[in-house]
Amino acid sequence: MRPDAVHRVLDAELAAARDRRGGEPPRVLDVGGGSGVWAVPLALAGCSVTVVDPSPDALATLHRRAAEVGVLDRVTAVQGDTDALEPHGGADLVLGHGVLEVVDDASAALAALAGAAVPGGAVSVLVANRFAAVLHRAIAGRLVDARRLLDDEAGQLVGARDPLLRRFDVAGLEALVLASGLKVELLQGHGVVSDLVPGSVLDANPGAAEALAELELAASTRSPLRDVAARLHVLGRKSA
Ligand SMILES: C[S@@+](CC[C@H](N)C(=O)[O-])C[C@H]1O[C@@H](n2cnc3c(N)ncnc32)[C@H](O)[C@@H]1O
């Protein structure tokens, strides 16, 4: 199975970082990295990964997962939040995946992420798309929720115990990244069509999974399909 749009971009970024560092392991900082969904595979791929997260439960799961696959020596867990990041950090790649939706101040958090990257380094931001959230609720028949989400400026389902404080659209995300001082090197969709195709279609048709992966990749950078992906992904570049 070929890697998805986000993994492709991160793989290329880490290969370039490894070259810059003369073959030394790239340094990755995963902010809000939780239980290690991104961090553990990156450690397995040979990166030195620091995870910063306020949740002790998530960090305990991270520790267990890293131990299970033998990469504890490449994973450092720090209990803390975006306020605790070093302003002149040394990470080749900073991840902020699924975190800008839950922090109190998304602008301040993104500025902290940018500050933690080395000059010339990259910040990878993955966020929930507010318009995809509307579509997915409508498709599920939750029409009142879909309308309330559409009308809420922050893209939050207020009063419904929404775990997210906000969701993003392309224009808002781009503006936020630019305001943090990063250059937007790439803005793509993640989960454009793959989140919509029922598993039964993939099970019933040989080759369908591969065809879907190819379609997903092709759609990930093409507006307007990109703009309604379940998640939006930005690779921001810090000036050298
Ligand atoms: C939806 S999870 C995302 C986990 C992982 N990054 C991923 O993409 O699968 C959000 C994570 O952000 C963490 N978090 C919440 N507030 C935070 C803050 N102020 N600074 C850093 N992390 C925070 C939570 O503990 C949680 O682990």
Side-chain angles (χ1 to χ4, degrees):
M1 181 71 74
R2 58 174 65 198
D4 66 28
V6 175
H7 282 95
R8 269 164 63 113
V9 169
L10 298 188
D11 289 350
E13 186 60 34
L14 291 167
R18 194 182 287 277
D19 280 352
R20 278 199 308 274
R21 293 174 53 74
E24 290 291 306
R27 294 156 305 182
V28 177
L29 175 66
D30 187 1
V31 183
S35 53
V37 169
W38 292 87
V40 170
L42 288 173
L44 264 175
C47 299
S48 168
V49 188
T50 299
V51 175
V52 175
D53 199 289
S55 163
D57 288 348
L59 293 178
T61 305
L62 165 71
H63 187 277
R64 180 176 47 74
R65 278 191 178 157
E68 273 168 11
V69 295
V71 294
L72 259 187
D73 56 332
R74 275 185 240 142
V75 176
T76 305
V78 178
Q79 191 179 353
D81 59 21
T82 46
D83 295 341
L85 302 181
E86 279 182 44
H88 305 290
D92 300 299
L93 173 65
V94 179
L95 304 187
H97 290 185
V99 73
L100 293 186
E101 303 94 320
V102 297
V103 295
D104 291 338
D105 182 339
S107 303
L110 188 52
L113 263 60
V118 291
V123 179
S124 170
V125 173
L126 189 63
V127 292
N129 182 340
R130 57 180 299 192
F131 295 125
V134 173
L135 285 175
H136 286 229
R137 277 163 184 77
I139 291 166
R142 295 170 56 192
L143 302 180
V144 174
D145 284 352
R147 179 60 198 266
R148 283 172 50 215
L149 252 179
L150 180 61
D151 290 343
D152 185 76
E153 288 216 347
Q156 187 191 30
L157 195 49
V158 179
R161 278 191 254 140
D162 191 340
L164 306 187
L165 295 175
R166 64 189 72 80
R167 293 175 179 78
F168 295 83
D169 57 31
V170 166
L173 180 59
E174 195 161 21
L176 190 73
V177 174
L178 289 173
S180 74
L182 295 167
K183 182 178 151 225
V184 176
E185 200 158 280
L186 172 86
L187 199 165
Q188 62 179 353
H190 186 243
V192 181
V193 284
S194 55
D195 289 23
L196 301 173
V197 176
S200 54
V201 172
L202 303 183
D203 295 341
N205 299 287
E210 187 66 18
L212 178 61
E214 282 183 23
L215 177 62
E216 176 65 35
L217 265 186
S220 65
T221 51
R222 289 201 214 168
S223 188
L225 285 173
R226 170 200 72 169
D227 307 352
V228 292
R231 291 161 296 282
L232 297 171
H233 178 234
V234 166
L235 192 79
R237 179 74 54 195
K238 189 164 169 176
S239 56

